[in-house]
Amino acid sequence: MATESTATAPKGDALDAGVLKVASVVVLGAIMAILDTTVVNVALQKLTIEFSTSFDVIQWVATGYLLALATVIPVTGWASDRFGTKRLYMLAIVLFLAGSMLAGAAWNIETLIVFRVLQGFGGGMLMPCGMTILTRAAGPQRIGRVMAVLGVPMLLGPIGGPILGGWLVDAVSWRWIFFINVPIGVVTLLLSWRLLPKDAPEPAGRFDFVGMLMVSPGLAALIFGVSKVPSAGGFGAVEVWLPVLAGLVLLAGFVVRALKVANPLVDLRLFKNRAFTIAMVTMSLFFVAFLGGMMLLPTYFLLVRGETTLHAGLLLAPQGFGAMIMMPITGRLADKVGARKIVLPGMVLLVGSMAMLTQVTATTPYWVLLSALFVMGLGMGCTMMPITTSALQTLQPKDMARASTATNIVQQTAGAIGSAVMATILAALLAGKFGVPTAQGQLAATAAILNPASHEAATGLAADAFSTTFVWSLVLVVLCVIPALFLPKSRPAAPAVSEDGDEITPPVLVH
């Protein structure tokens, strides 16, 4: 007999103890998945030496994880409905844990890549499934606050990852960048079993197997091709345009088919909701513009200023502090006012901080750089999660699993494109200044900077390349303002109210 879960949102807007318990579990899972990505990135050089292999091969440690992530995300919405979010979330943790333990014990580069793919299958389900659980537990009128909670690991992961990874690789062993997930994962699994609300599987329709054969490989091919842009030196290389073209053809075919079949793997009918569509467009441009720009910062500190990986991570900390200050405030506001009133001021802060970075040189005072990063963090706290909140606030609880899947697909794809675009622009500018092909731009700059005879001139040239790249990032951030102007300017309609004054919230089924 189905009954109403205690996780159903109570009357009032405050986050109650039940929702906070659910949030703690979801945040732990998010921290585990996001930290793992950034921690591994700083260890690639060490792994190249450890396994006596080439950098092209070792890149598959990161690329294999990313492609597994892209492959499994589209299936998560259907699987959440079919098997229940709690079961799927616990399965994702088990897969991630197994992949982590096996990767830490890897005996050659081939086994490490295979185990990273297993990790990616688990990691790809953690974020969309966790987002679905959290938004269902909180209810539509408190999505802003729970998104602010979920946003903390998303923002701190890129900052804390290099610090933790640098320390583990230097002071302990590269194996511990994977083993560190084991205690976190075990705790998360136990808390998931105890604290997450039970939910019965819902009618999910027939599995769209043909759709999976189109959208999962299409998304993986697109992201793979885009990820090869920096190393290939541009979009003209065969290893770039061929997978990108194949991915776009598969995704276009999926879109045409999804509009005709009854139960598509990714529900494109969600885009009939104007607020959801505008938020997705804004989010796409935001992730292309901003995540690409964020990628430049640690590279600037490492290449131009000669900082260690650990110090570069510490220097990015003001960005996280700014976001942490602003997120609780904007999370509360997102449930009371329209997203436009929060996002547009955040865009102003981002534009201002990015404008400061367009003036960087090889000797820019650190207090100027850290001030720009702090302001940037404030802007991030005003934009990233309120945009996501705007996408989800007007949807029905039954749509949350499919909407979370669509949101994560947009974030992964746009983030990969943004990083590739900014890396390519930077490589091209460095190549022009050092007179080498685009694919060798960063290598040539590094060699010139390490040479004492050319160090001073080379750092100046490299800094010029970074400042020009930041101009491009600034232009893209400004473009984000256009769709942001169409975000809702007022709070979404309140839920229906019963005769005795209680909120009518859809029941969460238990078995």
Side-chain angles (χ1 to χ4, degrees):
M1 179 78 179
T3 58
E4 192 171 317
S5 168
T6 55
T8 300
K11 182 168 68 177
D13 287 338
L15 293 181
D16 57 280
V19 175
L20 289 174
K21 288 177 181 178
V22 172
S24 66
V25 177
V26 174
V27 166
L28 272 176
I31 287 173
M32 186 170 61
I34 295 170
L35 267 182
D36 188 78
T37 304
T38 52
V39 164
V40 169
N41 286 342
V42 304
L44 292 179
Q45 185 64 40
K46 177 72 173 180
L47 292 172
T48 305
I49 299 169
E50 180 73 22
F51 290 111
S52 302
T53 187
S54 68
F55 195 69
D56 284 345
V57 173
I58 210 70
Q59 280 286 5
W60 278 97
V61 174
T63 304
Y65 180 87
L66 185 64
L67 296 184
L69 217 70
T71 302
V72 79
I73 285 175
V75 183
T76 307
W78 177 86
S80 294
D81 290 338
R82 176 64 181 82
F83 302 108
T85 51
K86 180 174 181 175
R87 293 176 183 176
L88 190 66
Y89 193 73
M90 293 179 69
L91 173 63
I93 295 170
V94 169
L95 288 175
F96 194 87
L97 265 177
S100 297
M101 290 187 288
L102 291 168
W107 52 92
N108 57 34
I109 186 59
E110 291 82 10
T111 54
L112 179 59
I113 293 170
V114 169
F115 298 146
R116 279 287 285 168
V117 169
L118 178 62
Q119 252 192 324
F121 287 139
M125 291 188 286
L126 276 174
M127 282 302 291
C129 191
M131 188 183 296
T132 301
I133 292 170
L134 195 50
T135 51
R136 283 178 176 174
Q141 295 307 109
R142 301 186 297 179
I143 285 180
R145 299 189 190 191
V146 297
M147 284 295 107
V149 172
L150 191 57
V152 172
M154 291 182 69
L155 293 176
L156 295 186
I159 298 168
I163 298 173
L164 179 63
W167 178 74
L168 286 172
V169 170
D170 292 341
V172 191
S173 164
W174 67 266
R175 296 186 184 275
W176 275 93
I177 64 177
F178 302 110
F179 288 148
I180 194 70
N181 294 320
V182 176
I184 302 173
V186 170
V187 170
T188 308
L189 188 62
L190 292 173
L191 290 177
S192 300
W193 176 62
R194 291 292 303 274
L195 300 179
L196 292 185
K198 295 179 181 179
D199 58 336
E202 301 174 3
R206 187 176 180 180
F207 181 65
D208 184 13
F209 188 74
V210 175
M212 186 198 73
L213 293 179
M214 299 173 79
V215 71
S216 290
L219 191 60
L222 175 62
I223 290 178
F224 172 73
V226 167
S227 70
K228 298 292 288 183
V229 170
S231 60
F235 287 89
V238 175
E239 63 264 38
V240 173
W241 67 258
L242 187 58
V244 167
L245 180 61
L248 289 175
V249 169
L250 285 170
L251 291 174
F254 173 79
V255 169
V256 172
R257 183 178 178 278
L259 295 173
K260 297 177 180 178
V261 299
N263 295 291
L265 192 62
V266 180
D267 190 0
L268 300 182
R269 296 175 183 87
L270 292 170
F271 289 91
K272 292 181 179 179
N273 183 311
R274 182 178 181 273
F276 183 82
T277 301
I278 292 172
M280 288 294 99
V281 172
T282 308
M283 183 184 295
S284 300
L285 283 175
F286 178 80
F287 271 74
V288 168
F290 191 69
L291 290 190
M294 276 186 67
M295 177 275 300
L296 300 172
L297 293 164
T299 309
Y300 167 81
F301 285 127
L302 292 168
L303 185 63
V304 178
R305 306 308 286 261
E307 299 290 348
T308 64
T309 302
L310 179 60
H311 287 165
L314 290 170
L315 286 166
L316 294 173
Q319 197 175 59
F321 293 144
M324 286 179 66
I325 290 171
M326 192 57 69
M327 271 194 161
I329 300 171
T330 57
R332 184 179 295 268
L333 286 174
D335 291 329
K336 297 181 180 299
V337 301
R340 190 193 312 179
K341 295 178 181 177
I342 307 169
V343 173
L344 288 179
M347 293 286 185
V348 172
L349 292 173
L350 289 176
V351 168
S353 60
M354 199 65 74
M356 293 172 68
L357 294 176
T358 62
Q359 306 303 309
V360 295
T361 67
T363 57
T364 300
Y366 275 102
W367 70 265
V368 174
L369 296 170
L370 298 183
S371 298
L373 289 171
F374 180 73
V375 174
M376 185 176 289
L378 294 176
M380 290 165 65
C382 291
T383 49
M384 189 179 294
M385 287 300 109
I387 293 171
T388 306
T389 300
S390 177
L392 301 177
Q393 271 179 329
T394 58
L395 299 178
Q396 298 294 322
K398 66 182 178 62
D399 295 325
M400 286 301 176
R402 304 297 177 104
S404 297
T405 295
T407 300
N408 277 270
I409 288 173
V410 167
Q411 290 176 353
Q412 290 291 334
T413 307
I417 291 172
S419 297
V421 167
M422 288 300 118
T424 303
I425 292 173
L426 176 62
L429 289 168
L430 288 172
K433 292 183 180 295
F434 291 92
V436 296
T438 299
Q440 300 173 20
Q442 192 163 330
L443 290 174
T446 303
I449 288 171
L450 291 176
N451 185 347
S454 58
H455 174 78
E456 186 173 351
T459 54
L461 290 173
D464 286 343
F466 275 94
S467 64
T468 306
T469 310
F470 279 121
V471 171
W472 284 96
S473 188
L474 173 62
V475 170
L476 291 174
V477 172
V478 171
L479 288 176
C480 290
V481 176
I482 298 173
L485 290 170
F486 296 93
L487 290 169
K489 62 180 179 181
S490 58
R491 176 182 178 171
V497 179
S498 65
E499 292 181 0
D500 59 4
D502 290 330
E503 276 186 12
I504 299 173
T505 49
V508 179
L509 301 180
V510 298
H511 61 291

